[in-house]
Amino acid sequence: MKFIFRHFGKVFLGWLLWLSCLSCGSSVVKSVSSEPKTSKSDESKIVFVSFLISKQPEGESKIELLSVTESPGKLKKNTENKSSLENYLTLEITSYETPNEIICIEHPLYKTVEYVNDNHQLTSQYVETDQADFFIRFQKTGSTQIKVSETRKKQKRELKTFKI
C-alpha cells in the first residue's frame, strides 16, 4: 500500500509539471501571433470630440471645439434611427482613408425635453438655452475634418469646419 502512495505522488507531480509546460508553451505562441501587423498610422481609433455651442445676439450660433480624445479601438455599427427633428446639427466627418460619415443630433440649444409633471404624467416641453456643450464619437483612421451645420426650421447654415 505504501508503494502505491509513493508511486502515485511521483506520477501526479509528473502530470502537473507536464500540464504547466503545455500551458506556458501555448501562451508564448498566442502572444507572438497576436501582434498587430499594421503600422501606427493605419491603426483605427475611436475619437471623442467635445463642442460648445452658443447663441449670438444676431440670432446665429457660434461653435467652438473644446477637446479631442483619441483611443485605439473600433466602434460597433450604429443602427439607431433618429426621427425627423425641426432643429438639429449635422456633423459631416470626412477623411481620405474612409468614406464620409454623417452624424445628425438634436440641436443642443433648441430641444424638446420630457419630464414627469405633478400629476405623474409624462409631458414634453420645448426649451431654448443660450449655451450648451455636447460630444460626438466616431471611427478615425487618418487625418479627419468635421464640418458642422445647423438646421433650424428647415433652413440649413454651415457653422464651422474643424481639422482633427
Side-chain angles (χ1 to χ4, degrees):
M1 188 78 159
K2 290 181 183 179
F3 175 77
I4 294 175
F5 284 118
R6 253 189 294 171
H7 186 62
F8 176 76
K10 290 179 184 178
V11 170
F12 183 73
L13 286 175
W15 275 103
L16 281 178
L17 182 62
W18 183 73
L19 285 175
S20 66
C21 289
L22 271 178
S23 64
C24 291
S26 64
S27 66
V28 171
V29 171
K30 285 182 184 176
S31 66
V32 170
S33 65
S34 66
E35 287 184 21
K37 300 198 187 299
T38 59
S39 66
K40 289 267 185 194
S41 63
D42 292 340
E43 272 186 15
S44 292
K45 295 180 181 177
I46 300 173
V47 181
F48 298 89
V49 184
S50 297
F51 297 96
L52 177 69
I53 190 166
S54 55
K55 257 193 243 182
Q56 298 300 301
E58 55 275 354
E60 296 181 356
S61 299
K62 177 184 171 189
I63 190 163
E64 301 173 37
L65 181 69
L66 293 179
S67 68
V68 176
T69 305
E70 295 183 4
S71 177
K74 290 188 177 186
L75 285 175
K76 293 181 181 178
K77 291 286 183 191
N78 188 5
T79 58
E80 182 179 331
N81 290 329
K82 298 272 185 183
S83 62
S84 61
L85 301 168
E86 185 176 2
N87 301 311
Y88 58 93
L89 293 180
T90 304
L91 298 105
E92 186 178 347
I93 302 162
T94 57
S95 173
Y96 297 112
E97 289 84 8
T98 59
N100 292 353
E101 179 180 357
I102 297 175
I103 300 173
C104 291
I105 61 170
E106 184 177 20
H107 202 301
L109 299 177
Y110 312 95
K111 55 175 37 179
T112 302
V113 294
E114 293 180 340
Y115 64 97
V116 177
N117 64 13
D118 294 335
N119 297 332
H120 304 290
Q121 295 174 333
L122 185 63
T123 58
S124 62
Q125 182 176 1
Y126 178 75
V127 177
E128 287 187 24
T129 58
D130 292 332
Q131 189 174 11
D133 60 342
F134 66 96
F135 81 94
I136 61 166
R137 65 179 183 217
F138 62 92
Q139 191 76 43
K140 177 185 173 186
T141 55
S143 66
T144 304
Q145 66 180 23
I146 303 171
K147 181 170 76 172
V148 182
S149 304
E150 77 174 343
T151 303
R152 293 195 51 229
K153 298 179 183 172
K154 298 187 180 185
Q155 293 183 348
K156 189 172 184 174
R157 186 175 78 78
E158 185 178 333
L159 296 178
K160 197 169 187 178
T161 301
F162 300 98
K163 292 185 181 180
I164 306 294

